[in-house]
Amino acid sequence: MHRALSSACRPAASRLLGACPAVVTWRPSALVLPAAVGAEDFATGTTASASVVHRRFATSSAFGAAAALSAAVRARRHGRSVPRARRRGAGAVQRSAGDGTMETGSDAAEDELSQKLRLALERFEAEVNRPDGEINLPRAAALLTLHADPGLDVEALVHEPFSRLRTDFRAYVDAANLVPLEEVPEALRLYTLAASLCAFMAKEGFTGCERSDSTYYRAENSLMNRVLERRCGIPITLSIAYIVVGEAVGLELRGVNFPGHFLLAFGRGTSTGLVDAFENTVVPQDQAEQIVQAVGGVLPRIPNTVFLMRMLGNLQGVYERDGNFAQAARIVQYARRLEAAVA
């Protein structure tokens, strides 16, 4: 049985590590916003003066402020214009389109949008401002999506789909009835559940997004509601789906950060295995053992706050890449709240 499952779920070794475009991470620096460069206001999306932005971000470390503004500095250095809110009459204001992009609206919606954005940020802050082990990772990831559209119903778009997937996966495992899991060795039990999870997620249509720069670096691949809707994402968001669904049958998966890729580990000691959510596959045992040995034989669980920091870093990089400084400024506010929680 173990060999059959291994054969069915064996990936090509070349697709395991380093095959995906490098995931964007935070790049702390000592950059200072030039006086002539503006940035997007967090609450409304309108253009604020450099002095306002500097004052607003002055208390943040380089973790947030420098990352948010570095793209504007680079754009100016290379002679490119810095995007500003387009004026379509008095009081034109940009607002979220819901997928990480922005659209232009009127003054009438400005106060309502500002209030919703602040409330969304407060909900995220309340979730992460607790001991790391008590942070509900899928809930925090769901709340993070509100930076793109504070009017989203995260219960309907994230929590309910997760609940359905968990229910369906329990039924899937019960129907398979491959082996009496309570009677087999721990290593085989975990491997069987992990392989079943990979097969189930593939059946449900989940897959890694295309590795091209134009497709991989899209905000929708890092927004949990869009990942669940499209069944497509990058390794870290797909990993959250795996963690949530696997818990339904007692399969505990923990994030493991490797250079150029993100994997999930299960088990301890000799029963340790690895799952690649991006490829819907269990890493073959011999490869998993080599990877574990290469990192000293220990695969510690990534703290939830680090998990979320990496998600924020990915979104920050996407928005910088696209010149979407309104959304970048919002992400900085989330990063500041998370940074304060772990300080």
Side-chain angles (χ1 to χ4, degrees):
M1 176 64 67
H2 189 286
R3 287 193 298 272
L5 286 169
S6 177
S7 175
C9 298
R10 185 177 300 272
S14 62
R15 296 187 301 173
L16 179 59
L17 297 177
C20 299
V23 178
V24 178
T25 56
W26 292 106
R27 299 179 298 281
S29 67
L31 291 175
V32 177
L33 184 67
V37 179
E40 302 294 333
D41 180 80
F42 164 72
T44 65
T46 56
T47 301
S49 68
S51 60
V52 171
V53 174
H54 177 74
R55 183 170 64 254
R56 185 163 293 170
F57 295 151
T59 59
S60 176
S61 73
F63 171 79
L69 304 176
S70 59
V73 176
R74 290 199 304 271
R76 183 169 179 79
R77 182 183 301 146
H78 293 290
R80 298 192 300 270
S81 60
V82 178
R84 295 171 178 265
R86 283 181 287 181
R87 301 183 182 277
R88 299 187 181 179
V93 60
Q94 286 187 324
R95 62 189 177 192
S96 296
D99 59 357
T101 60
M102 303 296 289
E103 61 184 13
T104 301
S106 65
D107 275 339
E110 180 177 338
D111 289 343
E112 181 181 0
L113 175 61
S114 298
Q115 181 66 14
K116 286 183 177 179
L117 285 168
R118 291 191 179 95
L119 290 174
L121 184 60
E122 290 172 1
R123 292 173 65 186
F124 177 81
E125 182 178 24
E127 181 61 47
V128 301
N129 194 24
R130 60 182 68 190
D132 191 87
E134 297 178 14
I135 295 175
N136 186 317
L137 181 61
R139 179 174 296 279
L143 293 174
L144 179 57
T145 65
L146 296 179
H147 82 274
D149 183 352
L152 288 175
D153 184 347
V154 294
E155 184 66 33
L157 297 176
V158 179
H159 301 309
E160 289 179 7
F162 271 149
S163 180
R164 288 193 294 270
L165 286 169
R166 287 167 61 89
T167 299
D168 291 347
F169 182 48
R170 281 194 294 265
Y172 179 85
V173 170
D174 291 342
N177 196 27
L178 296 176
V179 291
L181 296 181
E182 68 278 1
E183 300 176 8
V184 301
E186 180 70 359
L188 180 57
R189 184 184 74 85
L190 293 175
Y191 191 98
T192 301
L193 288 175
S196 298
L197 178 58
C198 292
F200 171 78
M201 297 297 275
K203 180 181 76 71
E204 289 294 313
F206 285 90
T207 184
C209 61
E210 293 182 15
R211 294 186 175 90
S212 65
D213 284 359
S214 61
T215 301
Y216 195 88
Y217 297 111
R218 290 180 179 172
E220 62 185 359
N221 292 324
S222 293
L223 299 175
M224 208 66 241
N225 62 309
R226 295 288 288 148
V227 171
L228 289 170
E229 177 186 348
R230 298 167 55 247
R231 305 294 170 102
C232 180
I234 57 177
I236 196 165
T237 45
L238 291 171
S239 291
I240 291 178
Y242 264 70
I243 289 171
V244 173
V245 178
E247 287 176 345
V249 296
L251 178 63
E252 180 185 346
L253 297 169
R254 58 190 186 279
V256 183
N257 195 4
F258 291 100
H261 205 20
F262 193 91
L263 299 173
L264 295 168
F266 60 86
R268 298 289 190 279
T270 57
S271 65
T272 299
L274 295 172
V275 169
D276 186 342
F278 193 76
E279 298 285 356
N280 288 323
T281 189
V282 178
V283 177
Q285 195 63 32
D286 54 346
Q287 290 186 27
E289 291 174 358
Q290 292 176 9
I291 293 172
V292 173
Q293 291 174 4
V295 295
V298 179
L299 296 176
R301 167 185 165 273
I302 292 179
N304 288 324
T305 49
V306 175
F307 215 117
L308 293 167
M309 284 178 183
R310 182 157 176 173
M311 293 183 68
L312 286 164
N314 289 341
L315 281 165
Q316 184 70 51
V318 168
Y319 294 141
E320 286 187 4
R321 180 186 179 93
D322 294 343
N324 191 341
F325 301 112
Q327 295 289 31
R330 293 180 186 179
I331 285 295
V332 168
Q333 297 294 331
Y334 280 77
R336 290 178 62 186
R337 299 309 193 277
L338 183 58
E339 186 185 31
V342 300

